[in-house]
Amino acid sequence: MLFASARQTVISIRMAQSVTPLQRLKFNNVALKKLPLDSSLEPGSRTVTGACFSRVQPQPLLKPTFVAVSEAALALLGLNADDVLCDPHGAEYLSGSRVIPGSEPAAHCYCGHQFGHFAGQLGDGAVCYLGEVEAGAEQSSNPISTSPCGRWEIQVKGAGLTPYSRQSDGRKVLRSSIREFLCSEAMLALGIPTTRAGSLVTSDLYVQRDAFYSGNPRPERCSVVLRIAPTFIRFGSFEIFHPVDDFTGRHGPSVGRTDIRAQLLDYVIETFYPEIQRRHLDRQARNASFFREVTVRTAKLVALWQSVGFCHGVLNTDNMSILGLTIDYGPFGFMDRFDPEFVSNASDKKGRYSYEAQPYVCLWNLARLAEALGTELQSAKAGAILDEFMTIYQDCYLDIMRRKLGLLRQQEPEDVELVADLLKTMHITGADFTNTFRLLSAVSCPAGEQKDRDSTDSVVELIVEQCASLEELKVANHPTMHELEMILSMAETNPGMFNMVANQPEVAKQLEKIGRLKELLVINEVELKIKQRDHWQRWVKQYRRRLAHECDEVSDPAAVEKERVRSMNSTNPAVVLRNYIAQNAIEAAERGDFSEVQQLLKVLENPYSVSADLERPVWSAGSGSVQADGNSIKGQEVKENTKTKAAADTHQIPYNSKPPAWARTICVT
């Protein structure tokens, strides 16, 4: 008996030693226990009624292999890179090709308003919920890296068909997966609430994709991103109860099921807003407090987006997190040349989701969430909360902009005008958004010395170098032909009507463009640079006057100046995930060289640092970046002699450079 017991102990120890960290993940899949679950595994797309989740079976990839992993994101699960990379089945587990012990694959049911219209049932068409993992022992002190429930939901995006796939194949390709993987981690490093990306896996399975809807599809490699968040529940999750829509005629699959709506709302508040649950005994008061917190988080989130020039691209209600996280990275973009009308999504022809529209769209989406909550939220109370949104947003935005300008000691009413004049100057001159803010820390606080004036002149020259060329500004200020024809026709045929509409915002905007274009058509490049320099000298003079107030009545102005510079350089990033930088990494990876994705991740994890990695040249897209073995994540260092040869044939661009001219041709849909 003693021998048998000892033998069993040895066997248990050996079995424990053979179990990998991925296999030891502790799952506690609360969402599937507390919310209605559709257990049918019926193949094909279908309407799912009376359920928030559906069980699914992920489809395996062919020869899955790691492209990159994020150490910081994996740490949320108590894992490190070696735990994943050294696991013989690691790439299979994290692509949905093999089920992790304890996981329960499922897809989430939700609806949404897309481009302003109710679209009916949408759901996770390419995403598979794997489960909820108990948080790692060492949790970050950073609030945007903690989970209120102590668990992290993990998903695989691109794992195949679900009941919500509609006409798609449930797959994602390397191109879009690289963008989501990198941007998820880049946003965290910028201090912006976001879902996370733990790993990126690609494969030898190919699907046909027509990236530009041009009728020319090409085969692309199926790839999967491991996504991590406390929950991926979104505004659209509450729209599955939507009644028949007056405009589209569509309705939610669970219309009339107020019992499930109450169940979902209770789950969200109890699990992710426990402090609100504890604070309120009255249900209506609790729900109003919850809605206000979602409103506040959303207002602060979009203020952060605006402060770094981030444009989401598809701000439908189904892409709005109930936790105030940036979610669902698709045709996003970081603005290069400052343009309030910047649209990152080439499919958004009318500019509904432009950079300047984002705060208003978020408010509109919140109103749809209030409607979706129905009788759970008093309409008068919801209206009062929504009325607070723009004030919350504007206060948060101004606070961030003060930090970006190093205005740390005083808050003056004139700061609103200073920021507005800065953005107007950036717009008129076509200045690079990211690099201009970064350069402003070199503007000195006035001390009345010639050295200060010389220093200021040199900063202005550097900013002018970041401004747009004459040709670029001509293109940027050219109104669309339809709008131009309408305005000119009205001015000629009906002057009275023209005078009536000339002050309307859209018409006024087009007239302003025509005026700027007229000026640009009669000057040359040298004259443009003189004008740009004049604009910036005027604004910098205004800025320095404001900086002088920061030093009023201080005993050590040098210390104040030093702190200002430090603060600005830790608020204004030196690098963001510009489209051309992502494109270089994508093109290299599509040739089998994953080293650029890994290198770029390191750079984006430290966006405020100017390091050797930041200055490392990026090869111009499409022009012969070197080949490397794509089957291993380790040892992918490009040989120096190959780099030297490539450098002779390509244009080298540091990560923090103003984008090259070809970057403007990149189209993201």
Side-chain angles (χ1 to χ4, degrees):
M1 179 69 75
L2 184 62
F3 174 77
S5 177
R7 183 171 179 273
Q8 187 61 45
T9 301
V10 170
I11 291 173
S12 298
I13 292 172
R14 286 179 177 173
M15 288 181 64
Q17 289 174 339
S18 66
V19 176
T20 67
L22 277 171
Q23 294 168 335
R24 285 198 296 269
L25 285 176
K26 187 177 179 182
F27 282 91
N28 183 10
N29 307 324
V30 177
L32 302 189
K33 299 171 187 174
K34 292 197 172 184
L35 297 173
L37 175 63
D38 162 39
S39 295
S40 171
L41 291 175
E42 177 187 343
S45 298
R46 55 191 168 84
T47 300
V48 177
T49 61
C52 296
F53 285 90
S54 297
R55 291 203 184 277
V56 297
Q57 293 177 320
Q59 287 92 56
L61 296 176
L62 177 64
K63 295 182 181 178
T65 184
F66 283 111
V67 174
V69 299
S70 165
E71 284 265 16
L74 291 174
L76 300 174
L77 310 178
L79 298 170
N80 60 46
D82 285 341
D83 291 338
V84 170
L85 300 176
C86 296
D87 189 316
H89 301 299
E92 294 175 86
Y93 282 139
L94 298 187
S95 64
S97 302
R98 181 185 290 257
V99 177
I100 306 173
S103 67
E104 298 181 76
H108 181 38
C109 181
Y110 53 82
C111 293
H113 280 79
Q114 298 191 321
F115 288 88
H117 303 297
F118 184 68
Q121 178 180 290
L122 300 170
D124 286 336
V127 170
C128 177
Y129 160 106
L130 294 182
E132 297 158 62
V133 177
E134 299 286 356
E138 295 183 10
Q139 288 299 295
S140 170
S141 58
N142 186 342
I144 66 174
S145 294
T146 57
S147 173
C149 63
R151 297 183 305 279
W152 294 98
E153 178 181 329
I154 60 173
Q155 301 183 333
V156 281
K157 183 174 182 178
L161 292 168
T162 78
Y164 312 106
S165 295
R166 291 170 285 167
Q167 304 304 312
S168 77
D169 53 23
R171 295 298 187 185
K172 295 297 176 181
V173 296
L174 188 56
R175 167 174 45 86
S176 59
S177 299
I178 286 174
R179 285 171 53 83
E180 172 144 12
F181 174 78
L182 290 174
C183 200
S184 299
E185 297 306 281
M187 292 290 269
L188 177 90
L190 290 168
I192 299 175
T194 178
T195 59
R196 304 293 300 279
S199 63
L200 170 56
V201 172
T202 194
S203 71
D204 286 349
L205 182 67
Y206 286 79
V207 289
Q208 293 288 324
R209 289 290 186 268
D210 184 357
F212 308 113
Y213 307 110
S214 61
N216 298 302
R218 67 181 179 93
E220 296 191 57
R221 298 174 78 176
C222 292
S223 304
V224 172
V225 174
L226 177 74
R227 306 203 301 182
I228 306 170
T231 183
F232 285 84
I233 290 175
R234 66 245 359 250
F235 290 10
S237 303
F238 289 91
E239 292 189 290
I240 63 173
F241 317 105
H242 195 290
V244 175
D245 187 80
D246 291 338
F247 185 79
T248 66
R250 298 188 177 107
H251 60 80
S254 295
V255 60
R257 293 297 304 270
T258 56
D259 57 325
I260 298 178
R261 183 177 65 195
Q263 192 176 352
L264 176 60
L265 184 59
D266 287 345
Y267 169 73
V268 168
I269 297 176
E270 291 168 5
T271 308
F272 307 108
Y273 293 90
E275 68 290 348
I276 290 176
Q277 180 68 28
R278 287 191 297 267
R279 202 162 59 232
H280 296 282
L281 296 176
D282 178 75
R283 184 176 185 84
Q284 283 289 337
R286 180 202 69 164
N287 296 349
S289 180
F290 157 72
F291 183 68
R292 187 178 192 281
E293 181 61 22
V294 175
T295 298
V296 169
R297 292 189 187 189
T298 303
K300 290 181 176 179
L301 177 68
V302 71
L304 286 165
W305 289 350
Q306 303 300 93
S307 74
V308 295
F310 175 79
C311 196
H312 184 281
V314 233
L315 275 179
N316 301 322
T317 56
D318 54 291
N319 294 331
M320 298 285 293
S321 163
I322 205 70
L323 298 184
L325 307 175
T326 314
I327 189 173
D328 290 346
Y329 292 92
F332 67 85
F334 284 88
M335 190 161 45
D336 295 325
R337 172 182 55 81
F338 178 71
D339 179 6
E341 298 179 54
F342 171 65
V343 175
S344 62
N345 181 359
S347 302
D348 185 6
K349 302 300 183 183
K350 295 184 178 180
R352 176 181 174 84
Y353 298 140
S354 69
Y355 170 79
E356 66 180 351
Q358 289 186 135
Y360 305 97
V361 170
C362 286
L363 174 58
W364 191 89
N365 288 341
L366 281 162
R368 304 291 77 73
L369 174 61
E371 290 174 356
L373 292 174
T375 56
E376 293 286 355
L377 181 65
Q378 295 172 353
S379 59
K381 190 65 177 176
I385 293 169
L386 291 170
D387 287 344
E388 298 178 49
F389 177 88
M390 289 309 299
T391 299
I392 297 168
Y393 161 73
Q394 289 165 353
D395 288 348
C396 184
Y397 177 74
L398 182 57
D399 181 59
I400 298 169
M401 296 305 281
R402 282 191 175 111
R403 293 201 303 274
K404 288 176 75 71
L405 293 177
L407 308 178
L408 310 176
R409 301 186 72 252
Q410 300 183 42
Q411 296 184 1
E412 299 187 359
E414 294 79 8
D415 294 345
V416 175
E417 183 181 356
L418 180 69
V419 171
D421 288 347
L422 167 61
L423 297 180
K424 183 178 180 181
T425 302
M426 291 177 76
H427 189 204
I428 291 171
T429 62
D432 185 88
F433 185 83
T434 301
N435 290 353
T436 299
F437 271 109
R438 185 73 182 186
L439 286 169
L440 291 179
S441 63
V443 175
S444 60
C445 188
E449 298 178 7
Q450 181 64 40
K451 183 179 179 181
D452 279 348
R453 289 195 293 273
D454 293 342
S455 174
T456 299
D457 288 343
S458 66
V459 175
V460 168
E461 290 304 315
L462 290 172
I463 294 175
V464 170
E465 289 177 12
Q466 297 296 322
C467 293
S469 68
L470 182 60
E471 286 307 310
E472 187 179 355
L473 286 175
K474 285 179 182 178
V475 172
N477 286 287
H478 205 290
T480 63
M481 289 307 298
H482 171 72
E483 290 162 334
L484 182 60
E485 288 172 1
M486 180 190 72
I487 291 170
L488 293 177
S489 174
M490 189 180 296
E492 291 176 1
T493 62
N494 196 337
M497 178 65 72
F498 175 77
N499 290 332
M500 288 175 62
V501 303
N503 290 326
Q504 292 185 2
E506 284 305 312
V507 176
K509 189 182 293 182
Q510 295 305 318
L511 290 173
E512 187 179 344
K513 277 187 175 183
I514 293 171
R516 284 202 295 265
L517 180 61
K518 188 176 179 181
E519 292 177 6
L520 293 168
L521 290 172
V522 296
I523 63 173
N524 58 36
E525 193 74 45
V526 174
E527 292 168 326
L528 173 66
K529 290 303 172 186
I530 293 172
K531 285 179 174 288
Q532 290 173 332
R533 189 176 295 108
D534 289 343
H535 281 298
W536 279 107
Q537 284 174 339
R538 279 195 296 272
W539 185 83
V540 168
K541 184 177 180 181
Q542 178 186 0
Y543 177 44
R544 293 186 79 217
R545 284 198 301 267
R546 175 61 179 85
L547 287 179
H549 297 178
E550 292 289 297
C551 295
D552 287 347
E553 300 178 2
V554 297
S555 57
D556 190 353
V560 171
E561 181 75 349
K562 184 177 180 181
E563 174 58 20
R564 176 183 71 86
V565 172
R566 186 206 63 76
S567 176
M568 290 180 71
N569 286 339
S570 62
T571 307
N572 296 311
V575 62
V576 293
L577 184 60
R578 299 176 189 262
N579 277 340
Y580 84 92
I581 297 175
Q583 188 64 24
N584 280 319
I586 289 166
E587 293 192 5
E590 288 180 336
R591 290 190 297 272
D593 173 10
F594 303 153
S595 63
E596 183 59 27
V597 176
Q598 299 156 20
Q599 174 66 25
L600 183 50
L601 175 63
K602 291 179 183 177
V603 171
L604 294 170
E605 287 175 334
N606 296 284
Y608 302 103
S609 301
V610 179
S611 63
D613 285 340
L614 181 63
E615 300 293 344
R616 176 179 179 271
V618 179
W619 310 120
S620 179
S623 51
S625 183
V626 292
Q627 290 282 110
D629 176 15
N631 295 321
S632 170
I633 196 171
K634 294 185 175 182
Q636 289 188 39
E637 295 299 327
V638 181
K639 295 180 181 179
E640 288 304 318
N641 59 344
T642 313
K643 270 191 177 180
T644 303
K645 181 180 184 301
D649 301 330
T650 63
H651 182 53
Q652 300 181 20
I653 312 160
Y655 290 118
N656 61 343
S657 168
K658 178 186 173 184
W662 58 259
R664 296 194 292 276
T665 66
I666 296 173
C667 179
V668 182
T669 59

